[in-house]
Amino acid sequence: MNNKKIKVKNICCLGAGYVGGPTMVVLAEKCPQINVFVTDIDKKKIERWNSKQFENLPVYEPGLSDLVKKCRNKNLFFTTDIQNAIQNSDIVFISVNTPTKTQGHGAGYASDLKWVESSARIVGQFAKGHTIIVEKSTVPVRTAELIQKIINHYKTDELLTDINNKKTFSVLSSPEFLAEGTAIKDLEFPDRVLIGGDDNDALDTLSLIYQEWIPIKKIFRTNLWSSELSKLTANAFLAQRISSINAISSLCEPSGADIKEVSKAIGADSRIGGKFLQAGPGFGGSCFQKDLLNLIYLCRFYNLDSAADYWEQVIKLNEWQKKRISKIIIEAFFGTLSSKKIVLLGYSFKPNTNDIRESPAISIALQLIENGATVFIHDPKVSESQIRNSIEIEETYQKTKNSINDNWSYEKDLEKIVVDADAIVIVTEWEEYFNLNWRGINKLMRRPSWLFDTRGIVNAKELEETKINFWQVGKGFLKKE
């Protein structure tokens, strides 16, 4: 796409998760002349990236396995040999986890940057020559300054004549704007790519790589701090839209309005647009809540309390929506779920991904179990071990962990899971759930039977000749026997 020659031969990525893995796979496919090394300290994760069973990759994204199959061991390599990968690379991407701190200063809001710090030290220790360090992880504003201070301790005199011992660095920010479930498409055809920094040579180098498949008009250059803040702001705005439409969905239900009609009407306004206006059980994933908390922390740090309160309300409303749906289910059974079999369809936070981080399904499942239900869970891509881990790590329920583990089951067979079910709750809008045979399911459930559609994907007409009671988000109770 560009006429200038790319001088970069090797790229290393620290972190082989949901961001680093797909990003580097696409980069390798689009730039066959560059060797891409994806590294991680988790040996089992790297083993799965190297697995001959491509359905066993640690990250599920439509189209991902085909690209891995095409590039792996040609110019794409997954390895735990971090030292060698860094030593041979011209650019090092940092794509490690930045979870919310659980203790210490800023706990509950600020990001824990221990993995970013350790990555900077490892790069500083093992890099050779001039190395461009690119922040790809979502980080707080001015994290690049922290990275720069760390690597300054490893930098050598730029006038040093022995090039083999010379060590210099440039730090850039290039945050990801991926939506899980469409990550490959988002990487191949991005709305924009952001590069923040003050080293023009480094900016040009990274821009040339992106230009191999991305039009230059979509590559935005900013300063470091604008780039870092843009990522947090984008996620905050998207989360805000989800909480906003969910707030309106709660008003639609008692008033007789239809949330789909309301969403269509307001989405037709060009100033608003139609995206992220689908009512549901609340937002999940690794970024929205974490980035909102980070933004709240920054606002409070700069004494912008009113701004912090505003963004905090987005999170509070998201939690309220999950609890509201659980309460509706519980009250439909007159306040008790004892001896009730509740089926959850979907456990990932959205379709076409196996990521369950902050998934509304976790909160809903735990609230139902706490109220006496036995919960049966189905998901096309989420494993039983993922579900078990998500339930066990919920600190709120640690004291009663054993009873919780006794009150949920995982089932792969959709027909088998609904047998003798008292209620079915659609939590994730997987394609498999759009055209279920409700007449057949009706015959397998216990009476009285319920369907709670938290995603608004079921046509009420399909339930007309059944005995299934029906509630749908943004519409309320549509059918009661």
Side-chain angles (χ1 to χ4, degrees), residues 9-232:
K9 295 181 179 180
N10 299 306
I11 287 176
C12 168
C13 178
L14 303 181
Y18 285 91
V19 173
T23 301
M24 293 300 112
V25 169
V26 171
L27 194 153
E29 196 269 335
K30 298 296 183 182
C31 302
Q33 73 277 32
I34 299 175
N35 292 316
V36 179
F37 298 89
V38 185
T39 70
D40 205 289
I41 59 174
D42 187 337
K43 292 182 179 180
K44 290 185 178 179
K45 184 182 291 183
I46 293 299
E47 286 175 359
R48 290 182 66 187
W49 278 114
N50 286 319
S51 172
K52 293 180 180 180
Q53 286 76 44
F54 288 94
E55 66 278 3
N56 193 42
L57 298 179
V59 174
Y60 173 75
E61 282 286 338
L64 177 62
S65 61
D66 291 337
L67 295 183
V68 173
K69 195 179 300 184
K70 177 180 177 181
C71 301
R72 195 174 67 189
N73 296 328
K74 294 177 182 176
N75 72 317
L76 174 66
F77 307 93
F78 297 94
T79 178
T80 55
D81 189 354
I82 299 173
Q83 177 177 340
N84 190 57
I86 292 173
Q87 286 177 341
N88 292 300
S89 291
D90 307 291
I91 299 178
V92 177
F93 285 84
I94 296 178
S95 296
V96 295
N97 194 19
T98 54
T100 302
K101 293 179 71 174
T102 57
Q103 58 185 7
H105 183 68
Y109 289 90
S111 290
D112 188 341
L113 298 178
K114 63 182 179 181
W115 300 116
V116 173
E117 288 188 33
S118 64
S119 295
R121 296 184 195 282
I122 291 170
V123 176
Q125 182 180 356
F126 296 124
K128 291 184 177 181
H130 183 70
T131 304
I132 299 172
I133 301 174
V134 183
E135 292 177 334
K136 182 59 71 172
S137 301
T138 302
V139 293
V141 180
R142 306 198 78 87
T143 298
E145 187 175 26
L146 169 67
I147 295 173
Q148 192 70 60
K149 286 181 178 180
I150 291 173
I151 61 175
N152 280 344
H153 293 288
Y154 299 91
K155 191 167 64 173
T156 56
D157 189 343
E158 294 187 20
L159 298 178
L160 192 70
T161 55
D162 185 358
I163 194 166
N164 292 322
N165 292 319
K166 185 182 289 189
K167 190 178 291 192
T168 57
F169 304 92
S170 296
V171 179
L172 302 179
S173 169
S174 185
E176 52 86 15
F177 294 98
L178 308 179
E180 290 185 48
T182 59
I184 301 303
K185 180 183 176 182
D186 295 339
L187 287 162
E188 292 180 329
F189 307 100
D191 291 333
R192 78 299 201 190
V193 169
L194 213 56
I195 309 176
D198 53 16
D199 182 334
N200 286 327
D201 288 340
L203 289 166
D204 288 341
T205 298
L206 186 55
S207 178
L208 283 174
I209 292 172
Y210 285 141
Q211 287 176 55
E212 285 293 289
W213 77 97
I214 300 168
I216 193 169
K217 65 182 180 180
K218 289 189 173 184
I219 301 173
F220 300 167
R221 295 192 184 195
T222 70
N223 68 37
L224 278 166
W225 324 129
S226 295
S227 178
E228 291 174 337
L229 184 57
S230 292
K231 169 61 177 177
L232 297 182

Side-chain angles (χ1 to χ4, degrees), residues 301-317:
F301 179 82
Y302 290 109
N303 297 315
L304 303 171
D305 289 339
S306 293
D309 291 343
Y310 172 80
W311 290 113
E312 191 155 35
Q313 193 60 38
V314 176
I315 292 178
K316 288 181 178 179
L317 202 145

